């Protein structure tokens, strides 16, 4: 017999709600957000298990940990909440949407052989974002001291001393630290790019 399960996940606890094939609400339970506890709860639900969870911080991990216990696992985009917030009602809502085939926005979670590549790409993207942020801080520091910054020369190790001399002593130590941070991020970016 098919069982449709909605999972509402949070940092410390998850609400699991089960609906039968007719739409009858069968069971709900709160479990700790850890693999063992959630697997134990799922194993206690008899029949063919189908699970729906919302995209969020824990979604990829939950997919990896729980998919061997289930016939089907579906990730969905976060729905707009109307009315009072209740994890139990939200979990039953996810189960019901899965039961009737009403999950409008499915989020692909299965990475399989491309999982490692996905993590490497994310690392590279984060490093690019961080290095751009540091570059903007460096430019902002120079501009705040009345020094016009044009081009990328300010980021060059070769031209570094020339640029630092344009700053008063009070701003120089911060600029040196930011430039060292930029050097480190660029090195990490090169490494991340090579691993992809």
């Amino acid at each position: 017999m098919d069982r449709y399960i909605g999972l509402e996940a949070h940092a410390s606890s998850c609400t699991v709600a089960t609906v039968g094939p007719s739409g009858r609400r069968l069971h709900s339970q709160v479990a700790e957000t850890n693999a063992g506890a959630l697997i134990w709860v799922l194993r206690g639900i008899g029949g063919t298990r189908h699970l729906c969870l919302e995209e969020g911080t824990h979604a990829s991990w939950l997919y990896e940990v729980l998919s061997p216990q289930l016939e089907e696992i579906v990730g969905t985009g976060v729905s707009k909440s109307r009315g009072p917030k209740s994890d139990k009602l939200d979990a039953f809502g996810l189960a019901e949407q899965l039961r009737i085939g009403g999950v409008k926005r499915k989020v692909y979670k299965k990475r399989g052989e491309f999982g490692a590549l996905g993590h490497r790409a994310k690392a590279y993207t984060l490093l690019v974002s961080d290095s751009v942020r540091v570059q903007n801080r460096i430019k902002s520091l120079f501009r705040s001291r009345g020094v016009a910054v044009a081009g990328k020369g300010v980021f060059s190790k070769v031209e570094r001393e020339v640029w630092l001399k344009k700053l008063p002593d009070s701003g120089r130590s911060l600029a040196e630290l930011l430039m060292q941070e930029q050097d480190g991020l660029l090195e990490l970016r090169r490494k991340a790019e090579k691993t992809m």
Side-chain angles (χ1 to χ4, degrees):
M1 176 129 346
D2 287 327
R3 295 291 183 246
Y4 300 93
I5 306 162
L7 181 88
E8 184 71 19
H10 297 287
S12 60
S13 67
C14 293
T15 303
V16 179
T18 308
V19 172
S22 66
R24 182 171 167 241
R25 293 180 176 186
L26 302 175
H27 177 261
S28 71
Q29 182 174 347
V30 177
E32 186 179 349
T33 303
N34 77 50
L38 292 168
I39 289 170
W40 184 80
V41 169
L42 290 176
R43 286 184 179 164
I45 300 169
T48 306
R49 299 178 292 253
H50 308 269
L51 184 132
C52 183
L53 58 92
E54 285 184 331
E55 175 60 24
T57 306
H58 297 91
S60 292
W61 169 74
L62 288 168
Y63 186 94
E64 290 172 19
V65 169
L66 301 179
S67 57
Q69 309 298 321
L70 303 161
E71 181 70 27
E72 172 188 30
I73 186 166
V74 175
T76 181
V78 179
S79 60
K80 291 184 181 179
S81 181
R82 293 189 185 108
K85 179 79 173 131
S86 164
D87 290 341
K88 183 177 175 179
L89 290 176
D90 290 347
F92 273 121
L94 289 169
E96 180 63 16
Q97 289 301 309
L98 184 59
R99 182 187 75 84
I100 64 172
V103 177
K104 292 181 176 75
R105 255 186 17 200
K106 291 186 180 181
V107 178
Y108 182 75
K109 291 312 255 178
K110 185 176 182 181
R111 289 188 172 210
E113 62 188 82
F114 298 109
L117 178 61
H119 289 296
R120 289 180 188 134
K122 184 171 186 170
Y124 177 75
T125 301
L126 291 172
L127 288 166
V128 168
S129 176
D130 289 347
S131 62
V132 168
R133 187 175 295 117
V134 172
Q135 287 176 349
N136 287 335
R137 286 182 181 148
I138 292 169
K139 284 182 177 182
S140 176
L141 175 63
F142 277 92
R143 288 180 184 140
S144 73
R145 298 301 186 166
V147 179
V149 179
K152 300 213 179 234
V154 70
F155 309 120
S156 167
K157 287 183 180 180
V158 176
E159 298 179 37
R160 184 165 291 168
E161 287 304 316
V162 173
W163 282 95
L164 288 172
K165 287 179 182 174
K166 295 180 180 184
L167 290 174
D169 292 338
S170 61
R172 203 169 290 159
S173 62
L174 175 57
E176 287 172 342
L177 288 172
L178 289 172
M179 289 173 172
Q180 289 172 15
E181 182 179 11
Q182 176 65 18
D183 294 342
L185 287 169
L186 288 175
E187 180 59 31
L188 289 172
R189 266 176 72 171
R190 283 191 277 282
K191 286 180 181 177
E193 190 171 20
K194 283 181 183 178
T195 63
M196 281 196 302

